Amino acid sequence: MGNDINKATNGHKSPFEQIKRTNTEGYEYWSSRDFAAVLGYENYRNFEGVVEKAKIACLNSGIRIEDHFVDVDEMIEIGKGGRRQFKTTQLSRYACYLTIQNADP
């Protein structure tokens, strides 16, 4: 079936699949910062509230938040060899689904 899907899409990967990452254990996840950009959020601060609403939706569905939303600190290069720490959330596929449901229209 995988080949049928690949033929139908001519090998095209959606923006959602293009930003997918895999951790050292082989589990897939999406960075909330990358996901915010794909959804058109120009300012990540505006997206943080959406992620918080999605966490509440996860809890209300009876599923552990920790299984789908992992808050982490990442380092980015800021020029002249400097680095800066910033917070992001690693989202499971289910967390992405909940986040989309809670995003701005």
Side-chain angles (χ1 to χ4, degrees):
M1 181 175 185
N3 285 338
D4 293 337
I5 292 171
N6 201 20
K7 287 178 189 174
T9 61
N10 293 328
H12 173 74
K13 290 172 76 174
S14 72
F16 177 72
E17 290 298 326
Q18 289 176 12
I19 63 168
K20 178 174 68 177
R21 300 181 186 184
T22 306
N23 66 15
T24 55
E25 290 84 30
Y27 293 107
E28 65 185 19
Y29 70 94
W30 287 259
S31 164
S32 60
R33 289 184 181 269
D34 293 345
F35 198 44
V38 167
L39 294 178
Y41 284 84
E42 293 180 15
N43 191 330
Y44 182 72
R45 288 187 309 235
N46 297 335
F47 191 67
E48 289 174 319
V50 174
V51 173
E52 291 305 314
K53 287 181 194 176
K55 287 179 180 180
I56 293 168
C58 186
L59 181 65
N60 289 340
S61 68
I63 298 175
R64 289 173 26 111
I65 294 171
E66 300 82 15
D67 292 343
H68 297 280
F69 298 85
V70 179
D71 295 323
V72 296
D73 293 326
E74 292 183 357
M75 298 297 284
I76 58 170
E77 301 290 327
I78 58 171
K80 293 188 179 182
R83 297 179 69 166
R84 185 182 79 174
Q85 182 177 347
F86 66 94
K87 295 189 181 302
T88 190
T89 304
Q90 295 177 349
L91 308 168
S92 70
R93 189 174 289 268
Y94 179 64
C96 290
Y97 168 77
L98 292 175
T99 303
I100 288 172
Q101 285 187 324
N102 286 280
D104 296 331

